[in-house]
Amino acid sequence: NFSRVTEFILLGLSDTRELQVLFFTFFFLAYAMVLLGNLLIIVTVRTDPKLSSPMYFLLCNLSFIDICCTSVTSPRMLVDLLSQRKAIAFEDCIAQLFFLHFVGASEMFLLTVMAYDRYTAICKPLHYTAIMSRQVCWVLVSACWAGGFLHSIVQTLLTIQLPFCGPNTIDNYFCDVPPVIRLACTDIYITEWLMVSNSGLISLVCFLVLVTSYTFILVTIRVHITEGHWKALSTCASHVMVVTLFFVPCIFIYLHPFSTFPSDKHICVICTVFSPVMNPLIYTLRNNEVKASMWKLWKRCRV
């Protein structure tokens, strides 16, 4: 007799009540910082005409994606930390999985585009305006969202075609591909490798493109270093920090067979919580133009 699973039980990060309260406080503050910090960046970039360069246009889109990405997992996690029974309906689980990979892959592609923008600005400064026009920026951002959608729809279709008829306990705080497909009542060898070749290779290829672009940038500024190059290098250093926090955990999680490691939930915290928190801090505290624009916005609001 075949019976389909109607809900999954999320084990979360810990079953100790004291730790759950501690995690709730920490993740609530982190989520608030992500929302406020990225919203502040978006409002600042949109209201200051001086921040109209492609770099700030892409930064504004990155802030929006960060808000979407952390909102897919954090609200549910905060509710579950205060709940005795952490259950999620099958349809809600699949929806969470879809949107997580949608915005996550879109952010990977956008970070790659931002690296290309920095490469063009430093290595081809005379052609930068023509190469990174506003129309080109819109096309690149649209391509990032389209690529994220295509990636996510493939992952989702591969997941929902599996039969789920037995275990329904997920050793994680949200629904993701690796812990969900482990519960399927069938051999997942082919599906597993299809997903690894999808998510894992996307993470790895984007990361290699980023490393290549930064290598060209370092070679360029090594030959002749000016004040403008030092400023660009500082921006790239901040970008590298975000890339490292985001890509390395994703490569580790999705580039190996999912059955190799029983749970990656503590590593998931890095790319779902810490990386979105670091983005507004890095791009504001290390960028004098953004800080100056925020200060002007604050003075206008006080008046």
Side-chain angles (χ1 to χ4, degrees):
N1 293 328
F2 178 79
S3 59
R4 187 175 181 85
V5 170
T6 58
E7 67 176 13
F8 292 107
I9 305 299
L10 301 172
L11 297 183
L13 293 172
S14 174
D15 54 0
T16 304
R17 188 59 182 171
E18 291 75 13
L19 283 178
Q20 289 179 351
V21 174
L22 181 63
F23 286 151
F24 176 85
T25 304
F26 174 78
F27 290 127
F28 177 80
L29 293 176
Y31 184 52
M33 289 178 60
V34 171
L35 293 181
L36 296 176
N38 284 293
L39 283 174
L40 181 59
I41 291 176
I42 293 174
V43 172
T44 302
V45 172
R46 297 289 295 175
T47 56
D48 193 340
K50 293 182 179 180
L51 303 180
S52 59
S53 67
M55 181 181 74
Y56 295 113
F57 173 77
L58 296 175
L59 174 59
C60 187
N61 282 275
L62 177 63
S63 295
F64 176 72
I65 288 182
D66 275 336
I67 292 175
C68 296
C69 188
T70 191
S71 295
V72 173
T73 59
S74 292
R76 178 86 201 190
M77 175 179 61
L78 293 173
V79 172
D80 286 343
L81 284 171
L82 299 180
S83 305
Q84 293 293 331
R85 189 171 184 271
K86 304 171 179 57
I88 181 172
F90 179 85
E91 293 77 10
D92 295 340
C93 182
I94 297 301
Q96 188 180 56
L97 184 151
F98 169 80
F99 285 108
L100 177 68
H101 281 265
F102 179 25
V103 295
S106 299
E107 181 164 358
M108 287 185 182
F109 297 137
L110 183 61
L111 287 170
T112 307
V113 170
M114 293 178 71
Y116 173 72
D117 171 72
R118 291 299 85 207
Y119 161 77
T120 307
I122 297 173
C123 300
K124 299 181 179 180
L126 298 180
H127 301 88
Y128 176 70
T129 305
I131 295 175
M132 295 299 295
S133 63
R134 181 51 66 99
Q135 292 78 11
V136 171
C137 289
W138 274 110
V139 170
L140 291 174
V141 170
S142 300
C144 291
W145 283 104
F149 177 81
L150 290 176
H151 159 76
S152 183
I153 201 69
V154 170
Q155 297 290 87
T156 305
L157 290 176
L158 288 173
T159 302
I160 61 177
Q161 55 86 28
L162 295 172
F164 296 93
C165 55
N168 68 335
T169 301
I170 297 177
D171 189 13
N172 210 326
Y173 58 93
F174 65 96
C175 289
D176 196 8
V177 168
V180 170
I181 69 169
R182 291 194 194 106
L183 303 179
C185 305
T186 185
D187 183 12
I188 61 170
Y189 180 81
I190 296 178
T191 304
E192 187 177 31
W193 280 105
L194 287 173
M195 290 181 169
V196 168
S197 62
N198 187 355
S199 296
L201 285 182
I202 286 177
S203 304
L204 182 62
V205 170
C206 289
F207 183 70
L208 291 177
V209 171
L210 288 161
V211 171
T212 303
S213 67
Y214 292 132
T215 302
F216 278 113
I217 291 173
L218 290 175
V219 171
T220 300
I221 65 174
R222 182 177 61 87
V223 179
H224 51 280
I225 298 179
T226 64
E227 183 179 352
H229 283 111
W230 276 116
K231 180 180 177 182
L233 181 61
S234 176
T235 302
C236 290
S238 302
H239 196 179
V240 169
M241 293 176 63
V242 175
V243 165
T244 302
L245 281 173
F246 186 72
F247 276 93
V248 173
C250 290
I251 292 173
F252 178 81
I253 293 171
Y254 298 111
L255 198 56
H256 62 73
F258 302 148
S259 56
T260 304
F261 296 93
S263 177
D264 299 315
K265 59 184 178 181
H266 296 97
I267 300 175
C268 292
V269 173
I270 299 176
C271 51
T272 59
V273 178
F274 284 104
S275 180
V277 168
M278 291 300 294
N279 281 352
L281 295 177
I282 289 174
Y283 283 106
T284 55
L285 297 180
R286 294 180 57 85
N287 192 307
N288 292 327
E289 291 180 342
V290 175
K291 287 191 293 184
S293 297
M294 286 182 176
W295 179 245
K296 289 193 300 183
L297 179 64
W298 169 252
K299 289 194 293 185
R300 287 204 306 266
C301 292
R302 292 186 64 184
V303 174

